[in-house]
């Protein structure tokens, strides 16, 4: 199941990147919308695998934005991601997103 979920999520994010950045929190939202029964730990694992696939394929880069702006505050090193980077953004707070 997870390979199918990873591939599906990666494709959903690719499609969304054509119109805007995609916050890491949106990876989680997309998965929960499609598979609400999946445990939180599995949701995060699938999201991380999809992110790795996207980055490996050169489909975008990680950036830090401030909610709700789309203006980049700079690139983010994927190796420096924290668990909290997948949480919902808060007004005026920075969050991590994929961008082209």
């Amino acid at each position: 199941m997870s390979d199918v979920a990873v591939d599906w999520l990666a494709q959903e994010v690719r499609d969304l990147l054509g119109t805007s950045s995609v916050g890491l929190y949106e990876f989680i939202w997309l998965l929960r919308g499609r598979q609400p029964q999946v445990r939180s730990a599995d949701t995060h694992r699938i999201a991380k695998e999809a992110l790795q696939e996207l980055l490996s394929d050169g489909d975008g880069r990680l950036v830090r934005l401030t909610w709700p702006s789309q203006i980049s505050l700079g690139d983010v090193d994927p190796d420096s991601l924290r668990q909290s980077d997948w949480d919902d953004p808060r007004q005026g707070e920075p969050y991590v997103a994929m961008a082209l």
Side-chain angles (χ1 to χ4, degrees):
M1 176 200 67
S2 75
D3 287 342
V4 171
V6 169
D7 291 343
W8 172 83
L9 180 58
Q11 188 57 53
E12 287 292 306
V13 172
R14 279 184 194 100
D15 293 345
L16 290 171
L17 282 170
T19 58
S20 71
S21 63
V22 180
L24 294 187
Y25 71 95
E26 291 177 275
F27 285 55
I28 304 301
W29 285 11
L30 288 164
L31 277 169
R32 287 185 181 148
R34 181 174 166 105
Q35 299 178 328
Q37 76 284 0
V38 175
R39 296 179 319 137
S40 181
D42 290 334
T43 300
H44 281 85
R45 180 184 50 74
I46 292 166
K48 289 174 184 177
E49 288 179 23
L51 174 63
Q52 183 58 46
E53 179 180 316
L54 291 161
L55 293 173
S56 293
D57 290 349
D59 291 326
R61 68 187 198 290
L62 291 178
V63 296
R64 190 164 308 280
L65 307 173
T66 300
W67 182 258
S69 172
Q70 291 289 309
I71 299 169
S72 174
L73 302 174
D75 288 356
V76 174
D77 179 356
D79 294 329
S80 70
L81 289 177
R82 302 172 308 232
Q83 185 65 28
S84 62
D85 290 327
W86 298 88
D87 295 344
D88 293 350
R90 292 186 273 181
Q91 183 71 30
E93 296 286 323
Y95 69 102
V96 177
M98 278 210 71
L100 293 178

